[in-house]
Amino acid sequence: MAEPERTERRLRPAPLLFEPSEAATDPEHFFDLESMDDPGELLERATELALAFRAATDRAVEFQAVAAAQLADPKRFDRLSAADIAERGQWTEDYAKKMVEFGRDLLRNAPPR
């Protein structure tokens, strides 16, 4: 039985607007959401932000994995062990090994530059 074709498209995250420095010092301030009175508008903007943060997290994890794979590359004279990568990434050694493999997969499947 053939697997269905993956047609997953990347969501375009909402823009993360710059937070002025005085707003960043106010613990109640979060992308001006606290000032919205319309619950529909609040839900829409909060959802946009949640999707943007998820997309940013996914991309950051991919970059972590690529970096881990590059640091563990056996061709490097200064390659790091899984334990060293785990320490740098604040991960367990098992997780570091998985990230190295994930990064290798990403690098193998990367489009040519």
Side-chain angles (χ1 to χ4, degrees):
M1 179 185 242
E3 285 191 32
E5 183 180 322
R6 280 185 81 178
T7 57
E8 180 181 317
R9 68 176 178 86
R10 285 195 180 241
L11 294 174
R12 280 223 163 297
L16 298 178
L17 305 175
F18 176 77
E19 291 266 272
S21 58
E22 62 274 4
T25 60
D26 179 2
E28 296 299 314
H29 183 83
F30 188 73
F31 290 91
D32 210 29
L33 294 179
E34 71 286 344
S35 68
M36 293 183 171
D37 295 324
D38 178 358
E41 182 183 348
L42 176 60
L43 178 60
E44 184 177 333
R45 182 63 182 147
T47 301
E48 287 175 348
L49 285 169
L51 291 172
F53 286 125
R54 282 185 203 134
T57 299
D58 290 345
R59 288 292 289 151
V61 168
E62 288 175 356
F63 279 105
Q64 283 181 312
V66 167
Q70 291 171 335
L71 289 169
D73 187 344
K75 294 180 216 151
R76 290 177 60 113
F77 77 93
D78 61 345
R79 82 173 189 191
L80 297 179
S81 68
D84 291 332
I85 294 169
E87 184 178 332
R88 282 188 171 194
Q90 299 176 8
W91 304 324
T92 65
E93 191 170 339
D94 285 341
Y95 186 77
K97 289 176 185 175
K98 289 178 184 179
M99 287 295 277
V100 168
E101 285 306 311
F102 178 45
R104 287 178 179 156
D105 288 344
L106 289 172
L107 290 169
R108 251 190 311 273
N109 297 319
R113 291 184 187 204

